Amino acid sequence: MVLTTVPKAVGFIYALVVIGVVAYLWYSHRWRQWIGWMLLIVSVALGFFIFSPVAPYQLQQLALRDAQGLGAPLIVGAAGLTLVFLLTVVFGRFFCGYACPVGAVQEIAYLAPVLKLRPRQKVAFMVVRGVFFVVFLIMAFVFSASLLAFFGIHDFFNLALSAGSAVFLIILLISLVFYRPFCRLVCPYGLVLSPGAAKSLFRLRRTDACIECGKCEKACPTDEAKREDEKAECYLCGRCTDVCPKNALVYAKDRPSGEIPEK
């Protein structure tokens, strides 16, 4: 148990550091896309080397009451996942955006220069993920079975050949053209974090400099850039800020006025 717990602890500490550092960089206008790319690479590497911090899998093992698979006592796992949720309520989905290896590997896949599909059925996607969440709960608590085993997260990051790892490889191929399919359609922990992100204290906000050109809305892969959107599915990828011609998007607690400092 000790040998298993130490790597999990390293991954969890890394996730907390990422959330804090990235939130500070966004808030202080020091964020750069190359920093995000580096974090994505590190997060994926942690997934392959120590299989952490993979919150969807940890939530699965917690639901199965499998302390050995979780790599920590159940109360510790529950406390860790709760802490990430609370940080999401404050800072938004930086964990999903940059720390989780499952999300990071899909984000990297989406960077491929190929034609993208950007369907705007946000509510429908939430319904689909809600259905998966119900199945997830029934399988875990009624049948003591793992839904995520069918999607091969554990096998993929442990380089194990299985039907599950083949499924996740297919998901990655889909990720080339469709933004984060696992995160948006399947991930049970992602669904848990969505209400927290929708009420997050800090988030991307438009300033008075906004000219309503709509470029941010076209660039957003999750359809969360409209002024009235709650940002429940905003992964803070930065695509909206990159295309804004007036530098009128800012990560802040309250809506500021004027233009933000140039990057």
Side-chain angles (χ1 to χ4, degrees), residues 106-245:
Q106 292 174 89
E107 187 76 45
I108 291 174
Y110 192 75
L111 294 175
V114 297
L115 182 66
K116 307 299 181 184
L117 300 176
R118 293 180 179 173
R120 302 294 182 177
Q121 286 80 36
K122 185 166 54 179
V123 174
F125 294 158
M126 288 291 289
V127 170
V128 171
R129 194 166 58 183
V131 171
F132 272 110
F133 189 74
V134 172
V135 174
F136 165 83
L137 294 177
I138 292 174
M139 289 183 64
F141 290 106
V142 178
F143 300 103
S144 296
S146 170
L147 171 65
L148 297 190
F150 292 98
F151 292 92
I153 294 175
H154 184 274
D155 289 348
F156 174 81
F157 281 105
N158 283 277
L159 301 177
L161 295 178
S162 68
S165 59
V167 170
F168 193 76
L169 184 58
I170 292 172
I171 290 174
L172 282 186
L173 293 176
I174 297 173
S175 300
L176 297 174
V177 297
F178 177 74
Y179 189 70
R180 291 176 176 252
F182 181 86
C183 298
R184 299 167 66 195
L185 296 172
V186 179
C187 183
Y189 192 58
L191 183 64
V192 171
L193 293 184
S194 287
K199 302 300 181 182
S200 61
L201 187 63
F202 290 86
R203 61 176 65 199
L204 284 172
R205 303 178 188 273
R206 300 190 189 194
T207 73
D208 293 336
C210 176
I211 58 174
E212 304 292 345
C213 64
K215 290 184 177 181
C216 60
E217 297 169 17
K218 293 179 182 178
C220 179
T222 61
D223 192 26
E224 285 282 13
K226 296 187 294 296
R227 188 181 291 275
E228 67 275 12
D229 286 330
E230 290 188 328
K231 308 299 186 288
E233 292 299 304
C234 173
Y235 296 91
L236 294 140
C237 67
R239 290 175 174 84
C240 56
T241 58
D242 286 346
V243 300
C244 180

Side-chain angles (χ1 to χ4, degrees), residues 19 27 30 39 50 54 70 81 115 139 166 176 197 209 226 228 232 241:
I19 293 172
Y27 182 74
R30 292 181 172 88
L39 288 175
I50 64 173
V54 185
L70 182 63
L81 293 177
L115 182 66
M139 289 183 64
L176 297 174
K226 296 187 294 296
E228 67 275 12
T241 58

Side-chain angles (χ1 to χ4, degrees), residues 4-18 43 46-47 50-55 58 84 95 99-101:
T4 304
T5 303
V6 171
K8 300 296 183 184
V10 170
F12 181 68
I13 293 171
Y14 165 78
L16 297 183
V17 171
V18 166
S43 297
L46 286 178
I50 64 173
F51 192 56
S52 184
V54 185
Q58 292 164 354
V84 172
F95 175 82
C100 179

Side-chain angles (χ1 to χ4, degrees), residues 16-38:
L16 297 183
V17 171
V18 166
I19 293 172
V21 169
V22 176
Y24 168 75
L25 292 175
W26 270 98
Y27 182 74
S28 62
H29 314 303
R30 292 181 172 88
W31 176 254
R32 303 292 183 271
Q33 281 291 42
W34 66 266
I35 300 176
W37 297 334
M38 289 183 62

